[in-house]
Amino acid sequence: MAGTRLDPIDRKILAELQADGRMTNVELAKRVGISAPPCLRRVRTLEEQGYIKGYHADVDARELGFEVQVYAMVGLASQAEADLSAFEEKCRHWPLVRECHMLNGEVDFILKCVAPDLSGFQKFLTGQLLTTANVASVKTSLVIRGAKDEPGVPFDILEERLSTLP
Amino acid sequence: MAGTRLDPIDRKILAELQADGRMTNVELAKRVGISAPPCLRRVRTLEEQGYIKGYHADVDARELGFEVQVYAMVGLASQAEADLSAFEEKCRHWPLVRECHMLNGEVDFILKCVAPDLSGFQKFLTGQLLTTANVASVKTSLVIRGAKDEPGVPFDILEERLSTLP
DNA sequence: AGTGAAAGTACAGCTGA
DNA sequence: TCAGCTGTACTTTCACT
């Protein structure tokens, strides 16, 4: 898995599909410089090996009525593994929580939440998050405006690194 | 644009393409209950109107050698609009910064960064971010582990809301 | 290379204001 | 009536063996 290193063509495929996940296979093949059939085999292999975890349309949250984005920093009373896992499981079941990451430092978790409006978020905050067992502190920050939101990884950095240490 | 409301089929299309952005049009048409040609026309319209902003393959950052994810909370010395914009523009040019959002509250911006390793991030932190004009404070938190990372919005919540207030 | 399926186009019928 | 959306039929392009 981790031993199966990728060649430059595989990395190009990943970079192209990260930029446009709905590109046809022939277009992709043209861009990476091989013919279509082997290109398709490579894509399937990358999917099976987990380098590609899925494909998603990027929908406009605001246009769909989710006007509010909030980051919530959560501190727990107990950081025992069972308690951490229990909180993570809660987050997986809350639809308004789109991301949940465990952090080092002062807070234990950062949550990225969306909501239709402020009152919708407040309802979630006071009715769900703050009433959850073991939640000791929650600090929320509203997103005033988004300046950059690029999914995935910077492939140019990856290529730079690989060219310096082969 | 905002006036052009979506019907239930459009919302179903968005939900399906958010879940699987590489689904074929005929499969999509089958799932939303119409035939392929009008389905394709709807997809094109949704793209043109900006409801769909793009399609992206979800690549595994760790497998590709980006072992480190970091949230950086940035405070600026001046919050004048020109200074805020200048900082946002910087972020757009830094490949390691994948997301940049302006927040209310104590900090001005939250940055989601990826890096190949800790030293790679430290190099960015000390060499780029901390030396940027107007940056007053930076607090970083390493992502220990990810518990949830769902792109987009929860369509089930959207349908709930629309069914209660038509 | 070749087959079967999907994407995309043109046109005609249906439905609701 | 007319606008808008739908489905059928057809051509081109693509996926897959």
Side-chain angles (χ1 to χ4, degrees):
Chain A
M1 329 209 159
T4 315
R5 277 294 286 286
L6 302 174
D7 68 11
I9 293 178
D10 287 324
R11 296 197 297 272
K12 192 88 197 296
I13 287 174
L14 291 172
E16 293 290 343
L17 285 179
Q18 178 177 281
D20 179 4
R22 219 174 153 74
M23 191 184 302
T24 64
N25 182 58
V26 298
E27 174 65 22
L28 179 62
K30 196 198 304 178
R31 294 194 184 201
V32 304
I34 60 179
S35 67
C39 183
L40 186 61
R41 276 195 297 272
R42 281 169 181 266
V43 172
R44 293 285 176 265
T45 304
L46 290 169
E47 289 169 352
E48 283 161 18
Q49 293 183 337
Y51 287 99
I52 297 174
K53 294 186 288 183
Y55 303 89
H56 306 283
D58 183 10
V59 306
D60 191 310
R62 284 208 140 77
E63 288 291 327
L64 279 165
F66 291 88
E67 307 276 352
V68 169
Q69 287 186 50
V70 187
Y71 280 95
M73 316 292 185
V74 177
L76 300 185
S78 155
Q79 283 89 17
E81 175 55 35
D83 298 315
L84 296 171
S85 300
F87 180 74
E88 290 176 338
E89 195 55 27
K90 283 276 190 183
C91 288
R92 291 194 195 94
H93 286 76
W94 286 324
L96 295 187
V97 176
R98 307 314 291 169
E99 298 183 28
C100 169
H101 308 282
M102 190 188 300
L103 300 182
N104 77 341
E106 305 167 33
V107 302
D108 296 310
F109 289 94
I110 187 168
L111 273 50
K112 186 182 193 175
C113 309
V114 297
D117 47 39
L118 262 182
S119 79
F121 178 74
Q122 297 290 357
K123 204 176 142 195
F124 163 72
L125 181 64
T126 56
Q128 308 282 315
L129 188 53
L130 287 171
T131 60
T132 297
N134 199 32
V135 168
S137 71
V138 177
K139 289 210 297 188
T140 61
S141 282
L142 263 166
V143 173
I144 304 295
R145 71 186 192 204
K148 180 176 186 175
D149 198 345
E150 302 271 335
V153 298
F155 277 95
D156 42 356
I157 294 288
L158 183 61
E159 296 300 331
E160 259 178 48
R161 274 178 71 82
L162 291 173
S163 64
T164 54
L165 31 123
Chain B
M1 326 208 166
T4 315
R5 276 293 288 286
L6 303 175
D7 67 11
I9 294 179
D10 287 323
R11 296 196 298 270
K12 192 89 196 300
I13 287 174
L14 292 172
E16 293 289 343
L17 285 180
Q18 179 178 279
D20 179 5
R22 218 173 155 74
M23 190 185 302
T24 65
N25 183 56
V26 297
E27 174 66 21
L28 179 63
K30 197 197 304 178
R31 294 194 184 200
V32 304
I34 59 177
S35 67
C39 184
L40 184 62
R41 278 194 292 270
R42 280 169 180 265
V43 172
R44 293 283 177 267
T45 304
L46 290 169
E47 290 168 353
E48 283 162 16
Q49 293 184 335
Y51 288 98
I52 297 176
K53 293 186 288 181
Y55 302 89
H56 306 283
D58 183 10
V59 306
D60 191 312
R62 285 209 139 76
E63 287 291 325
L64 279 166
F66 291 88
E67 307 277 352
V68 169
Q69 287 186 50
V70 187
Y71 280 94
M73 317 291 183
V74 177
L76 299 185
S78 154
Q79 283 89 14
E81 176 54 36
D83 297 315
L84 296 171
S85 300
F87 180 73
E88 290 175 337
E89 195 55 27
K90 283 277 188 181
C91 288
R92 291 194 195 94
H93 286 75
W94 286 324
L96 295 187
V97 176
R98 306 313 291 170
E99 298 183 28
C100 169
H101 309 283
M102 190 187 299
L103 300 182
N104 77 340
E106 306 168 29
V107 302
D108 296 310
F109 289 94
I110 187 167
L111 273 49
K112 185 183 194 176
C113 308
V114 297
D117 47 39
L118 263 181
S119 80
F121 178 73
Q122 296 291 357
K123 204 175 143 197
F124 163 72
L125 182 63
T126 56
Q128 308 282 315
L129 188 53
L130 287 170
T131 60
T132 297
N134 198 33
V135 168
S137 70
V138 178
K139 289 209 298 187
T140 61
S141 283
L142 263 166
V143 173
I144 305 294
R145 71 187 192 205
K148 181 174 185 176
D149 199 346
E150 302 272 332
V153 298
F155 278 95
D156 41 357
I157 295 287
L158 183 61
E159 295 300 332
E160 259 177 48
R161 275 179 71 82
L162 292 173
S163 64
T164 56
L165 33 121

